[in-house]
Structure formats: C-alpha cells, structure tokens
Amino acid sequence: MFAEERKELIIKILQEKKRVTNKELNETLGVSGTTIRTYLSELEEQGQLVRTHGGAILIEDTIMAEDTIVSRKDKNKTEKTQIAKLARNMISQGDTVLLDSGTTCLELARELRNIEDITVITNDLRIALEIQKNPSIQAIFLGGTIRNNYECTIGSAVINALQNYSVDKVFLSANALSMSKGATTPHIENALVKEAIMKSGNNKILLCDSSKIGKRTLCSFAKLTDFNFIISDRMISDKDRKEIEDKGVKVLI
C-alpha cells in the first residue's frame, strides 16, 4: 500500500469513527508510530484533521475549493455512472425534467439516449448538446451569461426563465453535501441558479457521490431536507446514510 492510499484509509476511518488513536492506526496500517505521526501531520496541514494527544479527530464539513471542469471530468467516473443509471430509472415517458449543470447530470443525460417523449430543460451547454442527439426529446436550453470554463449559463436571464417552468422532476448536482449546511457550491451565481431550479420542481433529486458527503463549500443553495431523494453510490457510509434518512430524505444507492 502506498503512502497516499494509507492516508486515504486514515480519512475513511475518521469518517466512520470521527476520532482515532495512533495505536489503532499502527495496528490497522502496520507501519511505525513515526510514520503514522508523519501522515497525521501532512493531513493536518491539508486541513483534513486535527491532531490530538495520541491521535486525531476529523474536521467536520471540510471546506472544499472548486474543481475545474477538466479536473472533474474523470473524477469518480464509476460512481457517477452508477448514480446516473439509478436516476434514469426515475424518469418516465411524458415527463418534463430539469437537469442542473455538472458532470453527474451530464452522465444522466447520456443515459437518456433511447428514451422517448420527454422534455429536458437545462442550463448546461454539454448536456444540451448531448440530449439534442435524441429526436424524441424536446430540449430547452436556458440562455444567459456563460460562465467561462464551466460551460453553463448563470445570471438573471436564467433565473427569470426558470420562473416560467414547473417540471415533474429536477436533478441537481452539488460540490458538497453537509449535514448542517446542506447542498453547497463555491460560486454565488451558481448557487442562485440552483435555488431557482429547486423552486421549479415538484420532486427534487440530488445526485451526489459519496466523496462529497460531510464536506461543504462557500454557498448553500438547499437544506438537506429540501430534497425528496438523494442518489449516491455504494461507498456511502452506513452512518451518513442513516443520518440523511433520519431527516426524512430517502437515499438510493
């Protein structure tokens, strides 16, 4: 096992237990106490944990920076595909759905290749180009100011247009999902568009891979309890799933 894999395992242990001792890590990882202390120091410098006397505790809701589209493109690809397939099963013939911008929603758009007689509304350029390949889909693109390097539209034109729509289901993405702060995104104008998307849908479904849970970014756009469903992957911890479902939100994996 490489050093980075060991550090990832330390974080997974902390996500489950919230605190861990050096002795527990020694036994689990099979490395020296000096190596454990080095790993903990490096993870503390990255803001992922706080070292304590003889161990470490997890920093709840780690604040994340915004990844670029390029860096997100192949990140957690398997999990996103799994989530998209589950989301596809929620869409029926005749539905009007709204797809938020983001790589997981793009995977969902790709799952709609063979569906018939639905309407899809989106503010994501890549999603619009994907869904227009299917002549059985009525595609509506929400024009506005294009956010450079993120391939989506933002601003008052998008928000005003969304006020004219009431759809069956909205599928949203988030950069992070915090139990206390809800669904978040780093960019305020993105957050405002997502808030407007939330208001447009009868059923609100968040597509969120497990790596984003227990973290947060700058701007909240929805409380956890605002969603009817959260679709995640099989790596979601039992603790996180239970905590979400205890709030009355169904988790699908």
Side-chain angles (χ1 to χ4, degrees):
M1 187 182 295
F2 295 109
E4 289 304 314
E5 292 176 311
R6 292 192 186 104
K7 285 187 278 189
E8 287 179 7
L9 181 55
I10 290 171
I11 294 301
K12 286 182 179 178
I13 292 169
L14 280 170
Q15 287 172 341
E16 289 285 345
K17 303 177 66 173
K18 303 306 179 186
R19 60 177 61 242
V20 69
T21 65
N22 289 352
K23 182 180 178 182
E24 289 173 314
L25 293 175
N26 288 342
E27 294 172 352
T28 301
L29 300 178
V31 295
S32 69
T34 301
T35 301
I36 292 296
R37 288 190 290 275
T38 299
Y39 291 159
L40 295 181
S41 293
E42 291 172 355
L43 290 168
E44 185 174 45
E45 288 174 6
Q46 295 169 14
Q48 298 193 61
L49 56 77
V50 174
R51 293 184 65 190
T52 62
H53 180 69
I57 60 174
L58 182 70
I59 295 178
E60 296 281 2
D61 293 348
T62 304
I63 299 178
M64 300 168 64
E66 185 168 23
D67 292 333
T68 63
I69 285 291
V70 172
S71 66
R72 294 205 308 258
K73 181 180 177 183
D74 297 315
K75 193 173 182 180
N76 300 321
K77 176 78 171 177
T78 301
E79 289 81 1
K80 290 174 182 176
T81 302
Q82 175 193 333
I83 290 167
K85 289 182 183 298
L86 285 172
R88 163 63 181 86
N89 292 334
M90 300 184 74
I91 299 174
S92 304
Q93 187 173 349
D95 276 349
T96 298
V97 301
L98 205 161
L99 299 188
D100 184 19
S101 63
T103 52
T104 310
C105 286
L106 177 59
E107 289 300 319
L108 173 55
R110 289 171 176 154
E111 291 293 325
L112 303 180
R113 292 186 184 98
N114 300 317
I115 200 167
E116 294 185 359
D117 187 27
I118 65 168
T119 298
V120 178
I121 305 168
T122 188
N123 69 318
D124 187 293
L125 291 164
R126 294 164 303 153
I127 290 174
L129 289 171
E130 185 66 34
I131 60 177
Q132 60 83 36
K133 296 175 185 176
N134 183 343
S136 296
I137 295 177
Q138 181 181 357
I140 300 174
F141 180 68
L142 300 168
T145 302
I146 296 175
R147 189 181 176 206
N148 292 342
N149 298 318
Y150 289 90
E151 300 175 349
C152 65
T153 54
I154 54 174
S156 59
V158 181
I159 293 169
N160 290 339
L162 283 165
Q163 293 174 4
N164 297 319
Y165 296 108
S166 178
V167 305
D168 299 303
K169 303 174 181 86
V170 295
F171 294 89
L172 292 106
S173 62
N175 294 75
L177 180 66
S178 161
M179 299 300 169
S180 58
K181 298 296 183 182
T184 64
T185 186
H187 191 265
I188 183 61
E189 289 196 81
N190 250 14
L192 293 173
V193 170
K194 289 174 186 289
E195 285 179 358
I197 289 173
M198 290 286 291
K199 294 175 182 176
S200 301
N202 295 323
N203 288 292
K204 303 167 183 67
I205 302 134
L206 180 67
L207 311 183
C208 183
D209 70 73
S210 57
S211 70
K212 298 176 180 178
I213 298 175
K215 300 175 183 177
R216 62 186 170 94
T217 56
L218 185 62
C219 305
S220 296
F221 65 87
K223 295 182 294 184
L224 196 153
T225 52
D226 289 336
F227 296 100
N228 301 99
F229 297 93
I230 292 175
I231 305 180
S232 192
D233 58 79
R234 297 183 186 95
M235 296 300 291
I236 186 173
S237 70
D238 291 340
K239 177 183 179 300
D240 285 337
R241 183 175 184 177
K242 183 178 186 303
E243 193 167 350
I244 293 169
E245 293 196 325
D246 282 349
K247 295 179 182 291
V249 182
K250 180 65 176 175
V251 177
L252 303 178
I253 59 172

